[in-house]
Amino acid sequence: MMTVTSNEKYQKCIDICLECAQVCEFCATSCLNEPDPKMMAGCIKLDRDCADICVLAAQFMARDSEFSMEICSLCAQVCKACGDECAKFPPEHCKNCADICNRCAVECENMAK
Amino acid sequence: MMTVTSNEKYQKCIDICLECAQVCEFCATSCLNEPDPKMMAGCIKLDRDCADICVLAAQFMARDSEFSMEICSLCAQVCKACGDECAKFPPEHCKNCADICNRCAVECENMAK
Amino acid sequence: MMTVTSNEKYQKCIDICLECAQVCEFCATSCLNEPDPKMMAGCIKLDRDCADICVLAAQFMARDSEFSMEICSLCAQVCKACGDECAKFPPEHCKNCADICNRCAVECENMAK
Amino acid sequence: MMTVTSNEKYQKCIDICLECAQVCEFCATSCLNEPDPKMMAGCIKLDRDCADICVLAAQFMARDSEFSMEICSLCAQVCKACGDECAKFPPEHCKNCADICNRCAVECENMAK
């Protein structure tokens, strides 16, 4: 996203949070479409949490909330847990999700400092 | 956003919905920071609705929901109303918001067909 | 919920939307905890959509949005689809979810008129 | 809400989070309808944050998320800030909002322990 109309100081972190949210939503659906989603139940659960907190973190930053740092701190924790879980599974959607979750966790941690 | 890990057929519409959501959040906050937010009360209210429905439309598309077309149809309506309202006000954040809302409405209408 | 501090004309519909959202969230998790979630993949997907749209419908009504009727109309459609899908499965969480989805659909349809 | 179909161990905290979210949405709209919303700009901003985090906390609990305690801890902080801000203003919607925010903060803090 190339917008400079929103809050610029947060833009990099907003962008990765919104990308992470999409990839988590897609990963959850893709896990459910796999032959055996039972083994990925933990991944699907964390994908839901991670997508939701990433979206809310982005919204808080976009609106310049006074709790932007706090929600980024929580978002980083959820991203790390989701990334660790996704990394256990071979499908490409899980690997991609693990990668973006880990990068989002780093960005959110930096924002939370 | 350059991701191809999420749902590609929806990507253009997802991107503009997420950009519109951010710009609406920022416009609402910026209106509240103006000397006289009272005259922009309708703009602030629609910004909230528009940001929320844009985010949910993006999430539905990213997860390949069977209701993606229906939520894009509603999203287009809200974007149009928000764009019309924002266009009435001189600040740049309102002008930017009107522009992105109108473009998002077009994209969502195309998606809903 | 006994509140009369929020928007009273919408209260009955808000209440059932928020109850439906909870029950859908719980049903999705419970489906993932079943021995074979694969057969319930459609139910889990619709639970996510239904929970999210119910929450947003409740928020729109609570804030007296001018799009309350439109979102209730879409919410009714998603509730019906989710209720039909959940009704196919024997676990109690699915039966409960089908019941509340069907009741929420009726309430949202009435609101949308 | 009388449901026992959702997650019972969290039910009291879910109920107050969802009530708080509604009251915050209503307070924000009501502030915008006041003759001078400028003086309540901080209240409107915190109402938005508080409504959103309360809803997400309720969803995390309803789905039995492993991050339920963490989000309740953050929710308590936002509720406290919102309650403190709302308490400064005379309208009944602000007083009601301050009251429910404070009660929600207590419940969320207990949940987070």
Side-chain angles (χ1 to χ4, degrees):
Chain A
M1 239 176 281
M2 293 142 297
T3 178
V4 290
T5 48
S6 178
N7 206 307
E8 289 179 58
K9 74 178 165 177
Y10 296 129
Q11 198 60 51
K12 193 176 170 192
C13 193
I14 291 173
D15 285 350
I16 200 160
C17 282
L18 292 176
E19 187 176 352
C20 191
Q22 289 177 62
V23 176
C24 285
E25 291 281 2
F26 181 70
C27 183
T29 294
S30 303
C31 286
L32 288 167
N33 291 341
E34 294 282 341
D36 183 15
K38 180 65 188 174
M39 59 180 289
M40 294 162 180
C43 181
I44 297 166
K45 289 176 187 177
L46 281 164
D47 280 337
R48 283 197 290 162
D49 290 350
C50 194
D52 289 343
I53 195 81
C54 280
V55 160
L56 195 55
Q59 287 181 292
F60 270 42
M61 285 183 277
R63 71 176 68 151
D64 201 16
S65 162
E66 62 186 84
F67 286 98
S68 293
M69 284 171 61
E70 287 81 358
I71 200 162
C72 283
S73 174
L74 177 53
C75 192
Q77 291 177 61
V78 180
C79 284
K80 261 186 278 187
C82 190
D84 286 351
E85 186 65 22
C86 287
K88 295 178 190 168
F89 301 104
E92 199 191 348
H93 55 81
C94 288
K95 295 296 175 209
N96 285 338
C97 196
D99 175 57
I100 183 79
C101 284
N102 289 335
R103 287 188 290 122
C104 191
V106 171
E107 207 63 52
C108 285
E109 266 173 7
N110 288 339
M111 184 57 63
K113 270 173 201 161
Chain B
M1 238 175 279
M2 295 141 295
T3 178
V4 291
T5 47
S6 179
N7 205 308
E8 289 178 58
K9 73 177 167 180
Y10 296 129
Q11 197 61 50
K12 193 176 169 194
C13 193
I14 291 173
D15 285 351
I16 200 159
C17 282
L18 292 176
E19 188 176 352
C20 191
Q22 287 177 65
V23 175
C24 286
E25 291 282 3
F26 181 71
C27 183
T29 293
S30 302
C31 286
L32 289 166
N33 291 341
E34 294 283 341
D36 183 14
K38 179 64 186 172
M39 59 180 289
M40 294 165 180
C43 183
I44 298 166
K45 288 177 188 178
L46 281 164
D47 280 338
R48 283 197 290 161
D49 290 350
C50 195
D52 288 344
I53 195 82
C54 280
V55 160
L56 195 55
Q59 286 181 291
F60 270 41
M61 286 184 275
R63 70 175 68 150
D64 201 16
S65 162
E66 61 186 85
F67 287 97
S68 294
M69 284 169 59
E70 288 81 357
I71 201 163
C72 283
S73 174
L74 177 55
C75 191
Q77 290 177 60
V78 181
C79 284
K80 261 185 280 188
C82 190
D84 287 350
E85 187 65 21
C86 287
K88 296 177 190 167
F89 301 104
E92 199 192 348
H93 54 82
C94 289
K95 296 295 176 211
N96 285 338
C97 196
D99 174 57
I100 182 81
C101 284
N102 290 335
R103 289 188 289 121
C104 192
V106 171
E107 207 63 54
C108 284
E109 268 173 6
N110 288 339
M111 185 56 63
K113 272 174 201 161
Chain C
M1 238 175 280
M2 292 142 296
T3 177
V4 290
T5 47
S6 178
N7 205 306
E8 288 180 58
K9 72 176 167 179
Y10 296 129
Q11 198 60 51
K12 193 177 170 193
C13 193
I14 291 173
D15 285 351
I16 200 159
C17 282
L18 292 176
E19 189 177 351
C20 192
Q22 287 177 65
V23 176
C24 286
E25 290 281 3
F26 181 70
C27 183
T29 294
S30 302
C31 286
L32 288 167
N33 291 340
E34 294 284 340
D36 183 15
K38 179 65 186 174
M39 60 180 289
M40 294 163 180
C43 182
I44 297 166
K45 288 176 189 178
L46 281 164
D47 280 337
R48 283 197 289 159
D49 289 349
C50 194
D52 288 343
I53 195 81
C54 280
V55 160
L56 194 56
Q59 285 181 293
F60 270 41
M61 287 183 277
R63 70 176 68 151
D64 202 16
S65 163
E66 62 186 84
F67 287 97
S68 293
M69 284 170 59
E70 287 80 359
I71 201 165
C72 282
S73 175
L74 177 54
C75 193
Q77 292 177 58
V78 181
C79 284
K80 260 186 279 188
C82 190
D84 287 350
E85 186 66 21
C86 287
K88 296 177 188 168
F89 302 104
E92 198 191 348
H93 55 81
C94 288
K95 296 295 176 210
N96 285 338
C97 195
D99 175 57
I100 182 80
C101 283
N102 289 334
R103 288 188 290 121
C104 191
V106 171
E107 207 63 53
C108 285
E109 267 172 7
N110 289 339
M111 184 56 64
K113 270 174 202 162
Chain D
M1 240 176 281
M2 294 142 296
T3 178
V4 290
T5 47
S6 180
N7 205 308
E8 289 179 57
K9 72 177 167 178
Y10 296 129
Q11 197 61 50
K12 193 177 171 192
C13 192
I14 291 172
D15 284 351
I16 200 159
C17 283
L18 292 176
E19 189 177 352
C20 191
Q22 287 176 66
V23 176
C24 287
E25 291 281 3
F26 182 69
C27 184
T29 294
S30 303
C31 286
L32 288 167
N33 292 340
E34 294 283 342
D36 183 14
K38 180 65 188 173
M39 61 180 288
M40 294 163 179
C43 182
I44 298 167
K45 289 177 188 178
L46 281 164
D47 280 336
R48 284 196 290 162
D49 289 350
C50 195
D52 289 343
I53 195 82
C54 279
V55 161
L56 195 55
Q59 287 182 292
F60 270 42
M61 286 184 276
R63 71 177 66 151
D64 201 16
S65 162
E66 62 186 85
F67 287 97
S68 294
M69 284 171 60
E70 286 81 357
I71 200 164
C72 283
S73 174
L74 177 54
C75 192
Q77 291 177 61
V78 180
C79 284
K80 260 185 279 188
C82 189
D84 286 350
E85 186 65 22
C86 287
K88 296 177 188 167
F89 301 104
E92 199 192 347
H93 55 82
C94 288
K95 295 296 176 211
N96 285 337
C97 196
D99 175 57
I100 182 80
C101 283
N102 289 333
R103 288 188 289 120
C104 191
V106 171
E107 207 63 52
C108 285
E109 267 173 5
N110 288 339
M111 183 58 62
K113 269 172 200 160

PDB file of all heavy atoms in Angstrom, chain B residues 52-63:
ATOM      1  N   ASP B  52     -15.044   0.043   9.503  1.00  0.00           N
ATOM      2  CA  ASP B  52     -15.390  -1.290  10.015  1.00  0.00           C
ATOM      3  C   ASP B  52     -15.859  -2.233   8.914  1.00  0.00           C
ATOM      4  O   ASP B  52     -15.481  -3.409   8.897  1.00  0.00           O
ATOM      5  CB  ASP B  52     -16.493  -1.174  11.086  1.00  0.00           C
ATOM      6  CG  ASP B  52     -15.980  -0.578  12.380  1.00  0.00           C
ATOM      7  OD1 ASP B  52     -14.756  -0.534  12.586  1.00  0.00           O
ATOM      8  OD2 ASP B  52     -16.818  -0.162  13.209  1.00  0.00           O
ATOM      9  N   ILE B  53     -16.703  -1.745   8.012  1.00  0.00           N
ATOM     10  CA  ILE B  53     -17.214  -2.641   6.960  1.00  0.00           C
ATOM     11  C   ILE B  53     -16.118  -2.938   5.937  1.00  0.00           C
ATOM     12  O   ILE B  53     -16.054  -4.060   5.408  1.00  0.00           O
ATOM     13  CB  ILE B  53     -18.490  -2.059   6.301  1.00  0.00           C
ATOM     14  CG1 ILE B  53     -19.226  -3.138   5.479  1.00  0.00           C
ATOM     15  CG2 ILE B  53     -18.197  -0.863   5.406  1.00  0.00           C
ATOM     16  CD1 ILE B  53     -20.093  -4.043   6.263  1.00  0.00           C
ATOM     17  N   CYS B  54     -15.235  -1.976   5.692  1.00  0.00           N
ATOM     18  CA  CYS B  54     -14.103  -2.224   4.778  1.00  0.00           C
ATOM     19  C   CYS B  54     -13.193  -3.325   5.321  1.00  0.00           C
ATOM     20  O   CYS B  54     -12.749  -4.200   4.584  1.00  0.00           O
ATOM     21  CB  CYS B  54     -13.281  -0.949   4.559  1.00  0.00           C
ATOM     22  SG  CYS B  54     -14.008   0.189   3.365  1.00  0.00           S
ATOM     23  N   VAL B  55     -12.907  -3.244   6.623  1.00  0.00           N
ATOM     24  CA  VAL B  55     -12.060  -4.272   7.232  1.00  0.00           C
ATOM     25  C   VAL B  55     -12.734  -5.640   7.140  1.00  0.00           C
ATOM     26  O   VAL B  55     -12.095  -6.638   6.784  1.00  0.00           O
ATOM     27  CB  VAL B  55     -11.762  -3.920   8.712  1.00  0.00           C
ATOM     28  CG1 VAL B  55     -11.334  -5.143   9.495  1.00  0.00           C
ATOM     29  CG2 VAL B  55     -10.679  -2.851   8.784  1.00  0.00           C
ATOM     30  N   LEU B  56     -14.012  -5.708   7.437  1.00  0.00           N
ATOM     31  CA  LEU B  56     -14.683  -7.002   7.415  1.00  0.00           C
ATOM     32  C   LEU B  56     -14.806  -7.542   5.990  1.00  0.00           C
ATOM     33  O   LEU B  56     -14.644  -8.751   5.760  1.00  0.00           O
ATOM     34  CB  LEU B  56     -16.058  -6.933   8.090  1.00  0.00           C
ATOM     35  CG  LEU B  56     -16.665  -8.294   8.432  1.00  0.00           C
ATOM     36  CD1 LEU B  56     -15.726  -9.143   9.282  1.00  0.00           C
ATOM     37  CD2 LEU B  56     -18.000  -8.136   9.136  1.00  0.00           C
ATOM     38  N   ALA B  57     -15.049  -6.661   5.030  1.00  0.00           N
ATOM     39  CA  ALA B  57     -15.074  -7.096   3.624  1.00  0.00           C
ATOM     40  C   ALA B  57     -13.723  -7.705   3.241  1.00  0.00           C
ATOM     41  O   ALA B  57     -13.666  -8.765   2.602  1.00  0.00           O
ATOM     42  CB  ALA B  57     -15.423  -5.923   2.710  1.00  0.00           C
ATOM     43  N   ALA B  58     -12.645  -7.058   3.641  1.00  0.00           N
ATOM     44  CA  ALA B  58     -11.307  -7.571   3.333  1.00  0.00           C
ATOM     45  C   ALA B  58     -11.078  -8.937   3.988  1.00  0.00           C
ATOM     46  O   ALA B  58     -10.517  -9.853   3.369  1.00  0.00           O
ATOM     47  CB  ALA B  58     -10.240  -6.576   3.792  1.00  0.00           C
ATOM     48  N   GLN B  59     -11.524  -9.068   5.231  1.00  0.00           N
ATOM     49  CA  GLN B  59     -11.348 -10.354   5.915  1.00  0.00           C
ATOM     50  C   GLN B  59     -12.165 -11.457   5.231  1.00  0.00           C
ATOM     51  O   GLN B  59     -11.697 -12.582   5.084  1.00  0.00           O
ATOM     52  CB  GLN B  59     -11.749 -10.238   7.392  1.00  0.00           C
ATOM     53  CG  GLN B  59     -10.714  -9.478   8.228  1.00  0.00           C
ATOM     54  CD  GLN B  59     -11.102  -9.394   9.692  1.00  0.00           C
ATOM     55  OE1 GLN B  59     -12.054  -8.720  10.049  1.00  0.00           O
ATOM     56  NE2 GLN B  59     -10.375 -10.088  10.543  1.00  0.00           N
ATOM     57  N   PHE B  60     -13.400 -11.142   4.842  1.00  0.00           N
ATOM     58  CA  PHE B  60     -14.235 -12.134   4.150  1.00  0.00           C
ATOM     59  C   PHE B  60     -13.554 -12.570   2.847  1.00  0.00           C
ATOM     60  O   PHE B  60     -13.514 -13.753   2.531  1.00  0.00           O
ATOM     61  CB  PHE B  60     -15.622 -11.545   3.843  1.00  0.00           C
ATOM     62  CG  PHE B  60     -16.649 -11.762   4.928  1.00  0.00           C
ATOM     63  CD1 PHE B  60     -16.336 -11.628   6.264  1.00  0.00           C
ATOM     64  CD2 PHE B  60     -17.969 -12.109   4.614  1.00  0.00           C
ATOM     65  CE1 PHE B  60     -17.295 -11.823   7.268  1.00  0.00           C
ATOM     66  CE2 PHE B  60     -18.936 -12.313   5.601  1.00  0.00           C
ATOM     67  CZ  PHE B  60     -18.603 -12.160   6.930  1.00  0.00           C
ATOM     68  N   MET B  61     -13.034 -11.621   2.089  1.00  0.00           N
ATOM     69  CA  MET B  61     -12.358 -11.995   0.831  1.00  0.00           C
ATOM     70  C   MET B  61     -11.105 -12.811   1.108  1.00  0.00           C
ATOM     71  O   MET B  61     -10.868 -13.818   0.442  1.00  0.00           O
ATOM     72  CB  MET B  61     -12.035 -10.741   0.021  1.00  0.00           C
ATOM     73  CG  MET B  61     -13.269 -10.125  -0.626  1.00  0.00           C
ATOM     74  SD  MET B  61     -12.866  -8.701  -1.685  1.00  0.00           S
ATOM     75  CE  MET B  61     -12.814  -7.380  -0.459  1.00  0.00           C
ATOM     76  N   ALA B  62     -10.308 -12.378   2.086  1.00  0.00           N
ATOM     77  CA  ALA B  62      -9.053 -13.080   2.381  1.00  0.00           C
ATOM     78  C   ALA B  62      -9.317 -14.528   2.793  1.00  0.00           C
ATOM     79  O   ALA B  62      -8.518 -15.424   2.520  1.00  0.00           O
ATOM     80  CB  ALA B  62      -8.268 -12.358   3.483  1.00  0.00           C
ATOM     81  N   ARG B  63     -10.454 -14.770   3.446  1.00  0.00           N
ATOM     82  CA  ARG B  63     -10.788 -16.134   3.869  1.00  0.00           C
ATOM     83  C   ARG B  63     -11.657 -16.858   2.842  1.00  0.00           C
ATOM     84  O   ARG B  63     -12.106 -17.954   3.094  1.00  0.00           O
ATOM     85  CB  ARG B  63     -11.456 -16.112   5.247  1.00  0.00           C
ATOM     86  CG  ARG B  63     -12.832 -15.534   5.268  1.00  0.00           C
ATOM     87  CD  ARG B  63     -13.545 -15.611   6.627  1.00  0.00           C
ATOM     88  NE  ARG B  63     -12.950 -14.771   7.641  1.00  0.00           N
ATOM     89  CZ  ARG B  63     -13.630 -14.209   8.647  1.00  0.00           C
ATOM     90  NH1 ARG B  63     -14.945 -14.427   8.762  1.00  0.00           N
ATOM     91  NH2 ARG B  63     -13.029 -13.466   9.529  1.00  0.00           N
TER      92      ARG B  63
END
